[in-house]
Amino acid sequence: MRVDGSITIAGDKSITHRALMLAAMARGASELTGPLAAQDTRSTARVLRQLGARVGPLGRGRGLRILGQAWHPPVGALHCGNSGTTARLMVGLLAGKAIQARLTGDASLKRRPMARVIEPLEAMGATFSSRAGRLPVAVRSGVKRGLTWESSVASAQVKTALLFAAMTGNLPLAFTEPWRSRDHTERLFAALGIPLDIFERGVMFTPRAAVELDAFNLEIPGDVSSAAFPLGAAVLATAGALVIRGVGVNPTRTGVLDVLARMGAPVVLENERVAGAEPVADLVARPAALRGVTVTPDEVPRLVDEIPLLAVLASRATGESVFQEVGELRVKESDRLALIADNLRAVGGDAEVQGDHLVVRGGERPPVGRVETAGDHRLAMAFAVLGTVAGADITLSESRSPGVSFPGFFDMLREIEA
Ligand code: S3P
């Protein structure tokens, strides 16, 4: 396949969720430029409307206006759809504001652990009812005291849920995690003038007076986690070059670019600039002969969502690749650890799970077979990218899930191949 062209990528999902939530609490009308209009961010918008915020329609290629309000208890359950970020961050906000509500989600989200946010919030004095730490979760009462918490997982969702609870509850928080997770919340706090101390592996929030948020305008960069898929298609192509414009290149998110470089596929950053609180660049990717790679545990938080794509690239590389300590993949939108390995084997590849490691051995045979996505957007997109190699014949069990984070994904793939 030959790739060609210059594309833009939809807005960053993590930043869109956070900006929506903060704007929904702020005094006055906020404007977001370039928010992600996809199923996951629509879930956040819907939940915020149920709590009283006025959130305009989230449409592709459009800005978004949000009128913040004092939140009221919702009528009916807050349905978070497929979005773990919506569920975990909202639990933090509702506990911080002591608003009673019941949160639920789709079948995938109901399987994912909520205990990682419920436990520390309980230590802050909030109360919940849930079935074994999973959705549906009811917030019964709010936070009452500050917290020092050492998280056993590197998770920006946990960090943000606790920061949101501490900020809205006007309570101190000292949070550490094993490796630094994405820092979009910290950057937004700085941009909005919310005082926060930031350390190598943690944050400390020490309230002086209650935080009063004013409305804000924010430009949201393209999502590097979405850009990873066309980057992968360009690397697997046989000729041409692809430019992806306006992609967020926050260093806590760009592990995928480092690993691509080690695999022999350096991505060139052009036109580097700053948008909102985030660094942005145009990315230029070209076809490359790939070699196997070792991804170490400290790198995982910087590329956790890109492992499905990196694993399919590893299946086309020479030699063995090892993704070390990637047990967190078991509790993503699907059991990605098992499904990446199963699906690579299902299309004729060589992959296995060894404890918490994922091992992929590369080969040259065209991938042929049926892939079970389990409704997981990133599995569907990763294997669709693998399906672009010469001679491939891959059938996906479904093709709707990319709408969770990347509406128009298949059109984009056709466009860059053309
Ligand atoms: C996210 C954090 C990550 C990531 C998810 C989005 C966020 O999850 O996988 O897609 O917006 O904070 P964890 O916090 O569970 O690592």
Side-chain angles (χ1 to χ4, degrees):
M1 161 184 126
R2 184 188 167 83
V3 274
D4 250 320
S6 166
I7 60 171
T8 51
I9 217 86
D12 187 279
K13 181 155 78 71
S14 292
I15 301 173
T16 302
H17 285 299
R18 288 158 173 75
L20 271 164
M21 291 174 189
L22 290 164
M25 297 186 286
R27 253 184 327 214
S30 296
E31 294 268 352
L32 306 184
T33 309
L36 173 66
Q39 272 168 45
D40 264 13
T41 48
R42 289 209 171 90
S43 291
T44 289
R46 184 177 60 240
V47 160
L48 293 170
R49 288 187 198 108
Q50 273 178 274
L51 292 160
R54 283 200 252 150
V55 184
L58 249 181
R60 266 163 88 181
R62 284 222 301 261
L64 180 66
R65 192 164 185 274
I66 300 141
L67 192 57
Q69 300 284 336
W71 295 5
H72 56 64
V75 179
L78 300 172
H79 204 299
C80 303
N82 190 246
S83 175
T85 310
T86 308
R88 297 199 178 113
L89 270 50
M90 286 308 303
V91 164
L93 280 174
L94 293 164
K97 287 174 165 288
I99 292 177
Q100 292 190 346
R102 188 166 166 276
L103 297 103
T104 189
D106 71 6
S108 150
L109 190 53
K110 280 181 176 160
R111 282 192 294 270
R112 300 179 65 187
M114 294 294 291
R116 53 181 63 190
V117 289
I118 289 177
E119 271 175 34
L121 291 168
E122 282 177 343
M124 295 177 86
T127 58
F128 302 91
S129 55
S130 76
R131 188 182 38 80
R134 298 201 150 64
L135 293 176
V137 168
V139 182
R140 299 277 179 225
S141 68
V143 293
K144 294 178 184 66
R145 49 185 176 270
L147 178 71
T148 298
W149 192 256
E150 219 173 291
S151 175
S152 59
V153 281
S155 164
Q157 292 179 356
V158 174
K159 174 172 64 180
T160 305
L162 299 184
L163 274 175
F164 278 1
M167 191 243 309
T168 49
N170 199 27
L171 294 166
L173 171 74
F175 174 88
T176 51
E177 55 187 346
W179 314 107
R180 171 171 225 182
S181 61
R182 62 190 66 187
D183 68 355
H184 304 301
T185 306
E186 292 92 311
R187 286 168 185 263
L188 282 169
F189 271 37
L192 299 178
I194 307 169
L196 185 68
D197 293 311
I198 298 168
F199 306 99
E200 178 54 30
R201 291 183 300 104
V203 290
M204 195 155 84
F205 176 72
T206 316
R208 277 150 231 148
V211 171
E212 303 275 355
L213 282 177
D214 286 323
F216 58 91
N217 295 341
L218 186 74
E219 186 185 339
I220 298 177
D223 197 324
V224 68
S225 295
S226 297
F229 298 105
L231 282 180
V235 166
L236 289 179
T238 47
L242 180 69
V243 181
I244 310 177
R245 289 189 307 268
V247 181
V249 287
N250 177 320
T252 62
R253 294 285 300 281
T254 48
V256 62
L257 303 183
D258 300 344
V259 171
L260 281 174
R262 297 214 295 280
M263 294 179 87
V267 172
V268 177
L269 273 61
E270 288 182 349
N271 195 13
E272 290 183 62
R273 54 204 186 273
V274 172
E278 299 277 346
V280 178
D282 300 340
L283 306 183
V284 187
R286 291 193 169 78
L290 296 172
R291 49 181 182 264
V293 72
T294 298
V295 174
T296 52
D298 56 304
E299 291 185 287
V300 170
R302 297 180 55 235
L303 48 70
V304 63
D305 294 335
E306 287 67 74
I307 294 171
L309 183 269
L310 288 171
V312 306
L313 295 184
S315 78
R316 308 305 298 167
T318 52
E320 185 176 272
S321 294
V322 183
F323 299 85
Q324 297 176 336
E325 300 296 336
V326 290
E328 266 296 288
L329 296 184
R330 294 196 172 93
V331 292
K332 292 294 178 188
E333 287 83 329
S334 67
D335 179 350
R336 282 185 187 158
L337 186 51
L339 284 171
I340 290 170
D342 290 352
N343 283 316
L344 282 174
R345 287 196 303 271
V347 298
D350 181 354
E352 63 185 308
V353 178
Q354 292 178 358
D356 282 343
H357 300 341
L358 172 67
V359 180
V360 180
R361 290 173 207 96
E364 286 180 359
R365 245 189 310 152
V368 175
R370 182 178 185 278
V371 163
E372 175 55 62
T373 73
D376 181 334
H377 55 138
R378 297 201 204 278
L379 287 180
M381 292 189 281
F383 280 90
V385 167
L386 184 59
T388 63
V389 307
D393 187 5
I394 291 182
T395 309
L396 301 178
S397 59
E398 54 78 36
S399 54
R400 288 160 56 100
S401 59
V404 161
S405 64
F406 197 150
F409 168 78
F410 291 102
D411 294 339
M412 177 281 303
L413 213 49
R414 273 190 291 273
E415 185 191 326
I416 65 173
E417 280 184 79

